[in-house]
Amino acid sequence: MTETDRKHLERAIRLAEENVTAGGGPFGALIVSADGRVFEAGNRVTSDNDPTAHAEVSAIRLACRELGTFELQGATLYTSCEPCPMCLASALWARVSRVLYAADRHAAARAGFSDAEFYDWLEGRADRELMTVEHVERSDSEAPFDAWRAFSERVEY
Protein backbone atom coordinates (compact mmCIF):
# COMPACT_ATOMS: atom_id res chain seq x y z
CA MET A 1 0.00 0.00 0.00
CA THR A 2 1.41 3.37 -1.02
CA GLU A 3 1.26 6.71 0.77
CA THR A 4 -1.31 7.81 -1.82
CA ASP A 5 -3.43 4.77 -0.95
CA ARG A 6 -3.22 5.68 2.74
CA LYS A 7 -4.34 9.24 2.03
CA HIS A 8 -7.30 8.11 -0.09
CA LEU A 9 -8.35 5.56 2.51
CA GLU A 10 -8.11 8.22 5.21
CA ARG A 11 -10.33 10.46 3.06
CA ALA A 12 -12.90 7.65 2.77
CA ILE A 13 -13.01 7.41 6.56
CA ARG A 14 -13.41 11.22 6.90
CA LEU A 15 -16.21 11.11 4.30
CA ALA A 16 -17.98 8.50 6.42
CA GLU A 17 -17.67 10.66 9.53
CA GLU A 18 -18.90 13.74 7.63
CA ASN A 19 -21.79 11.73 6.27
CA VAL A 20 -22.95 10.87 9.79
CA THR A 21 -23.13 14.55 10.77
CA ALA A 22 -25.04 15.21 7.51
CA GLY A 23 -27.65 12.64 8.54
CA GLY A 24 -26.43 9.73 6.43
CA GLY A 25 -24.96 6.35 7.24
CA PRO A 26 -21.40 5.93 8.54
CA PHE A 27 -19.91 4.96 5.20
CA GLY A 28 -17.77 6.87 2.71
CA ALA A 29 -16.10 5.89 -0.54
CA LEU A 30 -14.13 7.33 -3.37
CA ILE A 31 -13.13 6.17 -6.81
CA VAL A 32 -9.76 7.21 -8.17
CA SER A 33 -9.80 6.74 -11.93
CA ALA A 34 -6.87 5.41 -13.92
CA ASP A 35 -5.93 9.00 -14.79
CA GLY A 36 -6.08 10.11 -11.13
CA ARG A 37 -9.46 11.85 -11.02
CA VAL A 38 -11.24 11.51 -7.67
CA PHE A 39 -14.99 10.98 -7.17
CA GLU A 40 -16.35 11.00 -3.60
CA ALA A 41 -19.64 9.85 -2.11
CA GLY A 42 -21.27 9.06 1.19
CA ASN A 43 -24.00 6.58 2.02
CA ARG A 44 -27.40 8.03 1.07
CA VAL A 45 -29.69 5.07 1.82
CA THR A 46 -31.90 6.83 4.37
CA SER A 47 -31.64 10.35 2.97
CA ASP A 48 -32.66 9.18 -0.54
CA ASN A 49 -34.89 6.28 0.58
CA ASP A 50 -32.79 4.15 -1.77
CA PRO A 51 -31.43 0.85 -0.46
CA THR A 52 -28.89 0.81 -3.31
CA ALA A 53 -27.40 4.22 -2.46
CA HIS A 54 -24.43 2.80 -0.59
CA ALA A 55 -21.32 4.99 -0.64
CA GLU A 56 -19.48 2.61 -2.98
CA VAL A 57 -22.34 2.40 -5.49
CA SER A 58 -22.83 6.17 -5.31
CA ALA A 59 -19.13 6.78 -5.98
CA ILE A 60 -19.19 4.36 -8.93
CA ARG A 61 -22.30 6.05 -10.36
CA LEU A 62 -20.72 9.50 -10.00
CA ALA A 63 -17.42 8.45 -11.57
CA CYS A 64 -19.11 6.77 -14.52
CA ARG A 65 -21.43 9.72 -15.09
CA GLU A 66 -18.62 12.28 -14.93
CA LEU A 67 -16.23 10.20 -17.04
CA GLY A 68 -18.92 9.30 -19.59
CA THR A 69 -18.29 5.57 -19.36
CA PHE A 70 -19.66 2.44 -17.72
CA GLU A 71 -16.22 0.88 -17.21
CA LEU A 72 -13.68 1.94 -14.61
CA GLN A 73 -10.75 -0.23 -15.70
CA GLY A 74 -7.62 0.83 -13.83
CA ALA A 75 -9.62 2.59 -11.10
CA THR A 76 -9.34 1.98 -7.38
CA LEU A 77 -12.30 2.03 -5.00
CA TYR A 78 -11.37 3.22 -1.50
CA THR A 79 -14.03 2.67 1.12
CA SER A 80 -14.35 3.21 4.85
CA CYS A 81 -15.76 -0.29 5.36
CA GLU A 82 -15.65 -3.68 3.70
CA PRO A 83 -18.05 -3.58 0.75
CA CYS A 84 -21.26 -5.57 1.01
CA PRO A 85 -22.07 -8.14 -1.69
CA MET A 86 -24.04 -5.55 -3.72
CA CYS A 87 -21.14 -3.09 -3.67
CA LEU A 88 -18.62 -5.78 -4.58
CA ALA A 89 -20.81 -6.86 -7.49
CA SER A 90 -21.14 -3.23 -8.60
CA ALA A 91 -17.36 -2.82 -8.54
CA LEU A 92 -16.98 -6.01 -10.57
CA TRP A 93 -19.55 -4.84 -13.15
CA ALA A 94 -17.79 -1.48 -13.39
CA ARG A 95 -14.49 -3.32 -13.93
CA VAL A 96 -12.85 -1.54 -10.99
CA SER A 97 -9.30 -2.88 -10.74
CA ARG A 98 -8.74 -2.64 -6.97
CA VAL A 99 -10.73 -2.22 -3.78
CA LEU A 100 -9.15 -1.06 -0.53
CA TYR A 101 -11.22 -0.83 2.64
CA ALA A 102 -10.66 0.15 6.28
CA ALA A 103 -13.12 -1.37 8.79
CA ASP A 104 -14.27 -4.93 8.15
CA ARG A 105 -17.78 -6.40 8.16
CA HIS A 106 -17.41 -7.44 11.80
CA ALA A 107 -16.79 -3.84 12.89
CA ALA A 108 -19.88 -2.83 10.91
CA ALA A 109 -21.90 -5.56 12.63
CA ARG A 110 -20.84 -4.26 16.05
CA ALA A 111 -22.29 -0.88 15.01
CA GLY A 112 -25.57 -2.49 13.96
CA PHE A 113 -24.84 -2.98 10.24
CA SER A 114 -24.74 -6.70 9.67
CA ASP A 115 -24.50 -7.98 6.12
CA ALA A 116 -23.60 -11.44 7.42
CA GLU A 117 -26.96 -12.94 6.47
CA PHE A 118 -26.50 -11.68 2.89
CA TYR A 119 -23.03 -13.22 2.61
CA ASP A 120 -24.43 -16.44 4.11
CA TRP A 121 -27.41 -16.44 1.73
CA LEU A 122 -25.17 -15.96 -1.32
CA GLU A 123 -22.89 -18.74 -0.13
CA GLY A 124 -25.85 -21.08 0.41
CA ARG A 125 -25.36 -21.23 4.17
CA ALA A 126 -28.47 -19.31 5.19
CA ASP A 127 -32.16 -20.04 5.22
CA ARG A 128 -33.33 -19.61 1.63
CA GLU A 129 -36.55 -18.07 2.99
CA LEU A 130 -34.68 -14.77 3.37
CA MET A 131 -35.62 -14.28 -0.28
CA THR A 132 -37.16 -16.65 -2.78
CA VAL A 133 -35.58 -16.79 -6.22
CA GLU A 134 -37.32 -19.00 -8.73
CA HIS A 135 -36.73 -19.79 -12.41
CA VAL A 136 -39.95 -19.66 -14.43
CA GLU A 137 -39.87 -21.52 -17.77
CA ARG A 138 -41.32 -19.48 -20.64
CA SER A 139 -41.18 -19.98 -24.40
CA ASP A 140 -40.42 -16.27 -24.96
CA SER A 141 -37.75 -15.91 -22.28
CA GLU A 142 -34.88 -15.51 -24.76
CA ALA A 143 -36.65 -12.96 -27.00
CA PRO A 144 -34.78 -10.00 -25.45
CA PHE A 145 -31.44 -11.71 -26.19
CA ASP A 146 -32.51 -12.41 -29.76
CA ALA A 147 -33.38 -8.71 -30.14
CA TRP A 148 -30.00 -7.76 -28.64
CA ARG A 149 -28.06 -10.00 -31.03
CA ALA A 150 -30.04 -8.62 -34.00
CA PHE A 151 -29.59 -4.95 -33.03
CA SER A 152 -26.64 -3.69 -35.09
CA GLU A 153 -26.17 -0.51 -33.02
CA ARG A 154 -25.80 -2.21 -29.65
CA VAL A 155 -23.05 -1.14 -27.26
CA GLU A 156 -21.26 -4.22 -25.99
CA TYR A 157 -20.48 -4.47 -22.29
Side-chain angles (χ1 to χ4, degrees), residues 115-136:
D115 300 334
E117 67 182 342
F118 303 145
Y119 283 100
D120 290 346
W121 188 90
L122 288 168
E123 294 168 0
R125 296 181 303 175
D127 184 357
R128 299 313 277 179
E129 291 182 18
L130 178 63
M131 181 176 68
T132 302
V133 178
E134 184 177 347
H135 178 221
V136 178

Side-chain angles (χ1 to χ4, degrees), residues 9-135:
L9 203 49
E10 182 178 322
R11 178 62 185 145
I13 294 167
R14 297 296 82 80
L15 280 169
E17 291 175 323
E18 292 167 11
N19 205 53
V20 169
T21 60
F27 304 95
L30 52 107
I31 289 280
V32 178
S33 67
D35 66 359
R37 293 174 61 188
V38 178
F39 305 90
E40 301 180 344
N43 178 289
R44 301 192 47 81
V45 169
T46 56
S47 59
D48 289 359
N49 291 318
D50 179 354
T52 69
H54 289 199
E56 299 89 339
V57 172
S58 297
I60 289 168
R61 288 175 179 161
L62 176 62
C64 288
R65 187 171 48 253
E66 293 295 317
L67 294 170
T69 184
F70 52 84
E71 290 186 332
L72 297 172
Q73 192 90 32
T76 300
L77 170 62
Y78 298 90
T79 180
S80 63
C81 188
E82 182 176 1
C84 74
M86 176 186 69
C87 293
L88 285 173
S90 298
L92 284 166
W93 272 109
R95 307 301 193 255
V96 168
S97 296
R98 267 188 344 148
V99 176
L100 297 177
Y101 64 89
D104 66 16
R105 68 179 90 163
H106 307 292
R110 289 190 296 276
F113 296 92
S114 180
D115 300 334
E117 67 182 342
F118 303 145
Y119 283 100
D120 290 346
W121 188 90
L122 288 168
E123 294 168 0
R125 296 181 303 175
D127 184 357
R128 299 313 277 179
E129 291 182 18
L130 178 63
M131 181 176 68
T132 302
V133 178
E134 184 177 347
H135 178 221

